[in-house]
Amino acid sequence: MAEPQTPARLIVQADSVLKLPRHIKLRHDPGRGIYLILAPERVFEPDEISVEVLKLCDGERSVTTIAQALSEQFQAPADVILADIIEMLQDLADKGVVKS
Amino acid sequence: MTDAPTLPREADTSSSETCARAPVGLLAELTHRCPLQCPYCSNPVELERSNTELSTAEWQDVMRQAAELGILQVHLSGGEPTARRDLEDIIKTAADAGLYTNLITAGVLLTKERLAKLQELGLDHVQLSIQDVDAANADRIAAYKGGSDKKREVAKWVRELDMPLTINAPLHRQNIDNLPAIIDYSVEVGAGRLEVAHIQYYAWALKNRAALMPTQEAFMKTVEIVNEAKERLKGILVFDFVVPDYYAKYPKPCMGGWGRGVMNVTPSGRVLPCHAAESLPGLEFDNVRDRPLADIWLKGQAFEKFRGTEWMKEPCRSCSRKEIDFGGCRCQAYALTGDAANTDPACSLSPHHTDWAKVAEQESHKPAPEFIYRRMGKSDTATTG
């Protein structure tokens, strides 16, 4: 077998640009009235903030840009939001829900 | 072929315990045919014959009904699901209906072209079972020559197609020492998840318990290995660790609670609350050929029988954990105590627990007997090295 590339953990930072891999499906479930993340052999139930963040993870916006957008939407300080969503996205990255 | 299915355990969309709610997962056993003969197969000992299997149209109808019922994920399993030539049609219908599709496969019948086709039709994820990383031992456990090499190739195809891959590694006394190598293998082939699945002792595995049961020391070592690897491989490999309940203090919440989150359809269309439920007496199993899936889920006698907590006896009835583990596994309670409504003997609060745990201790320290391989129609002992 050819020498495999050593995989590395994605560390989420302010300038990270993230997106959902093709096999991760964020969708609103009409029957249950909530958002769900469908993942390999898992179903996650994201909270309201996570849903807003994930919708903005489009592979173009940086985490900082997302924090600014949410800062305006929720009228909260951008630096506080930035720290919170970095932590949230790191957790989601470790679960394989977002990638760079 | 593989061990008990993984349940979507993060979803908990209701606090109601006694009434039915929409299931999240469907385990579709498309066929019991399988080229492998693993002695711990989760299929029942009485395997269903191919001439009783649901037709393509019937499986497609099951997929549409499942999506309407609120099921989110379908686990296409077997036997070996790729033994069905119409797998393409079934996957396409499931994906079109909005189901998240998971192929639980031994891999050995696949070609790269077929895998690419399945992906194009909407397959979301592949779970590939391995028997060991030592090829000779793996092929001996599965009674299938060349299986191990083929599986490595299949894993490579999955990743070349940029599909997510889970490696399922059932663990027992005849491969347990290779766990560190199994973890390395999973990283090397690019898996995102690894199921370290200690054997659960029902059906074929119960027949082969003495040949499979690890010692408590060997089991404890796997806990250490997995804990270390989880930390080291954070963000690279997600672990799913299934413990052998002979060495647990409390039972597993089998199927996440009876009739609570998951349903199983057998090759011939029988709808079960769990894949081993046919071992229980006094249950009536409806068939998708006779009754709508939603009706079976909501009102089927087999689903109602142990749903919620009303059926429980002591010590479950007054236990604070009754809505955490739901009294454990009904099939194990019946097989080992003679009453399916008893507490699972895996629970340390069961009066049967001490005797039961002793069995594991004794069997795991004796030389392993020959495997009784999983075969259609008869179960006989093979002579293997």
Side-chain angles (χ1 to χ4, degrees), chain B residues 277-296:
Chain B
E278 286 167 307
S279 66
L280 298 175
L283 294 184
E284 293 155 29
F285 300 109
D286 293 295
N287 195 298
V288 292
R289 284 172 168 144
D290 311 322
R291 203 174 170 184
L293 204 59
D295 197 34
I296 298 173

Side-chain angles (χ1 to χ4, degrees), chain A residues 42, chain B residues 6 9 193-197 230 238-242:
Chain A
R42 282 282 184 283
Chain B
T6 304
R9 59 196 59 147
R193 291 179 70 246
L194 169 61
E195 290 184 9
V196 178
K230 251 186 198 170
V238 174
F239 284 81
D240 208 342
F241 189 47
V242 181

Side-chain angles (χ1 to χ4, degrees), chain A residues 18-62:
Chain A
L18 304 173
K19 61 183 173 195
L20 277 63
R22 190 174 44 184
H23 64 269
I24 297 289
K25 296 178 176 174
L26 172 70
R27 77 161 73 129
H28 187 261
D29 186 85
R32 295 172 175 86
I34 49 170
Y35 273 91
L36 295 170
I37 299 167
L38 303 186
E41 304 193 40
R42 282 282 184 283
V43 179
F44 299 105
E45 205 183 300
D47 61 24
E48 209 178 317
I49 302 292
S50 306
V51 172
E52 294 306 317
V53 172
L54 286 171
K55 281 182 184 167
L56 298 173
C57 288
D58 56 4
E60 287 175 18
R61 279 175 251 226
S62 71

Side-chain angles (χ1 to χ4, degrees), chain A residues 48-87:
Chain A
E48 209 178 317
I49 302 292
S50 306
V51 172
E52 294 306 317
V53 172
L54 286 171
K55 281 182 184 167
L56 298 173
C57 288
D58 56 4
E60 287 175 18
R61 279 175 251 226
S62 71
V63 177
T64 302
T65 312
I66 293 172
Q68 278 160 359
L70 292 175
S71 159
E72 285 159 31
Q73 192 181 337
F74 293 98
Q75 301 193 327
D79 55 337
V80 175
I81 291 194
L82 182 63
D84 284 353
I85 68 172
I86 284 177
E87 195 184 334

